[in-house]
Structure formats: C-alpha cells, structure tokens
Amino acid sequence: MRKLINVQKQLIPDLSDTMKKRYTILHHVRLIGPVGRRTLAQTLHMTERVLRAEAEFLESQGLLDIGPDGMRATVSGERLLEEMEPLVKMLFGITELEEELRRRFGLKQAVIVAGDSDETPHVKQELGRAAASILRRYVTKGDIIAVTGGSTMAQIAERMTPSPQFKGCWFVPARGGLGERVELQANTIASAMAKRTGAQYRMLHVPDHLGEEAYQSLIQDPTVSDIIADIRKARIVLHGMGEALVMARRRRVDERTMTSLLAEGALAEAFGYYFDEQGRVVHNMPTVGLRIEDIDNAELRIGVAGGASKGRAIAAVIRHGREDVLVTDEAAAEQMLLMGPV
C-alpha cells in the first residue's frame, strides 16, 4: 500500500490533497457534530465557500447529513472513516511516526492521533476513541481493568461501547479520589466504563492522599482491603500521565513537598509516583490502590496522554519501563522524539 501511495503522490498529487481535505471534514463532523458550517470552517481554518462545496459532495455520497441543526456523519460515513484510518495514517505520515516512537521507547504498540490536544479539544476526544478501541482489542472475558482518573480518561469512558469480550469483566479505580470534580475521579470513570460496556465495577471510597497513620488504619479495614486486593490483581492497567508540578498542585501537596520535587528534578507523574527525565522514581505519595509492583505484575499497561506540553513527561514515565501500549497525539509524539537518549 505504501508504494501505491508514493506513486499516487507523484502522478496525481491533487488526489491526495482532496482525500485529506474530505477525510478531515468528515472526521471533525463525526467528533463534534451536529455542527454548523461557520463553526466547522473556523475550526478547520477553511473558507465557508470551500467547506460548502466539499460538504455538498460528501452529502451526495451519503456520507454526511446536512440538517437544520448542522452537519453530522451518517452511518456510512462513520464506517468509511474506520476503514480509511490505516490509509490516512500513511498519507499523513503518522504510520512512520508510530513505528519510530515504538522502536525508540521499546513499546509493544504506539497509536498516534493527528493534532495537538493542548490546542484543540477535539483531539482529546479522538484520543479517547483510539484508547477505547485499543482496550476493546486487548480485553478478554473476566479481566480486572484498573483505571485512573482525569479528563482524558473521561473521554475514553465516553467512547466505550458494549462488546462481548467485556462479559464478566470488572472495572476498578486504580486509586482513591483526587478531591477534584466527581466526573473526573477514578471511581466515576470506572463505573461509567462498566455501564457503557456491560461489565461490572467496584468503587474505592477513600481519599487519594493519606497520612501514614490514616493509610495504615484504612488498609486494615476488611471492606477496603477486599477491594484493594481486587485492584492489585488487575490484568490490565489503563492510565493517564501528567506533568509533575501540575499534578502535585492538583493533589494539593504542601510547599515542602513541592520544593523537594523541584530539587529532585521531578518531571512526570503517574499513579502517585513522580519520575525524573531518566524515568527514575524520585518521590511517591502514600495512596490506597495500585503500587509500582502491582503495575509490574499487570499483563498489559496502556498509557494515554497527549499535548505538546506533556511530551517530555510522557517520555519520562515510559522510560521507567512499565508501558506496553501508548496512545498519544502527534504533538506529544514529536516532543518525545526530540528528547535525546537516556
């Protein structure tokens, strides 16, 4: 297929450009539809005249529905987008970027979506769709799936659908609550994923950050210890990653800890563990839930994060050596590849 694409680019370059343009329009309509022409033209930095002509063509092919409330992709349009994805990744150069990222960081698989989720919220939605698809591919009946919280994880939950392989599966929170908005907490996301897939779930009603005395007391409670035992048996871990200082502020750590993180060169955070640029753990917070050794024991670890601002942080977590599959966006991938060897 790659040879054919290269020949086509040389002989009929306009064909590739037209295909990219129409795919991009249909793709964005699927993500944000129903959407008006003016809004979509602004989003795609395209004139309304050009967009109108392309939208009318897509409608004539039965791929787009244009109604009073805006444009939306038809069932045929959504099916075509799915079928075109491998081809489009080659046309956009994303296939090569995925392979380079996979080799550089020793991943089982790298999945990259176009764009920068820092600049375009719709890219985060696409991260969610891609991650939901990856989980569906790897899950098996009866799995325990531990999930973390955050806005990207909430997008994954939104895009989960019923599937036979989720039968008998359990979604569990990887850790306690962050003290942030309820809809972004791991408990909420685990329950949403279970409801959307037809699986079951358990919740862990404890704070994320605990003092040592409170931590020791909680893990002795039979109800809590029973849930923790399930969490620590997870076969799949699905998690986000963040910048160390941003996550520390979200967790409301004290100034002394913030100063320590800066001094230790903390760059990234995942699971309550803070990593430096080389992927070394420089600090961890006492938390009820997954420990680093439990993550080691999981059969499959799927990390999901995007945005140019997170590129270096994502690389730091992966350099720790506990990632199998990474789902990210173009901007983050490019930043990761700019980093030198460890």
Side-chain angles (χ1 to χ4, degrees), residues 1-11 90 96:
M1 186 186 289
R2 188 175 283 110
K3 274 187 179 180
L4 182 61
I5 289 171
N6 289 334
V7 169
Q8 178 200 295
K9 283 180 178 177
Q10 290 178 302
L11 292 176
M90 284 187 187
E96 290 81 1

Side-chain angles (χ1 to χ4, degrees), residues 154-223:
Q155 289 292 339
I156 300 171
E158 283 287 320
R159 279 146 189 84
M160 301 289 275
T161 54
S163 188
Q165 57 264 53
F166 284 105
K167 185 177 181 181
C169 289
W170 288 83
F171 283 91
V172 296
R175 53 191 304 160
L178 259 178
E180 58 185 355
R181 298 205 315 263
V182 171
E183 63 269 25
L184 300 183
Q185 291 183 14
N187 273 331
T188 306
I189 289 166
S191 66
M193 288 182 173
K195 289 171 184 175
R196 288 182 177 274
T197 58
Q200 301 176 80
Y201 66 94
R202 299 195 73 179
M203 300 180 107
L204 182 62
H205 295 292
V206 298
D208 180 65
H209 179 43
L210 298 166
E212 184 61 30
E213 186 177 336
Y215 172 79
Q216 292 298 335
S217 175
L218 268 174
I219 62 174
Q220 301 303 318
D221 182 277
T223 305

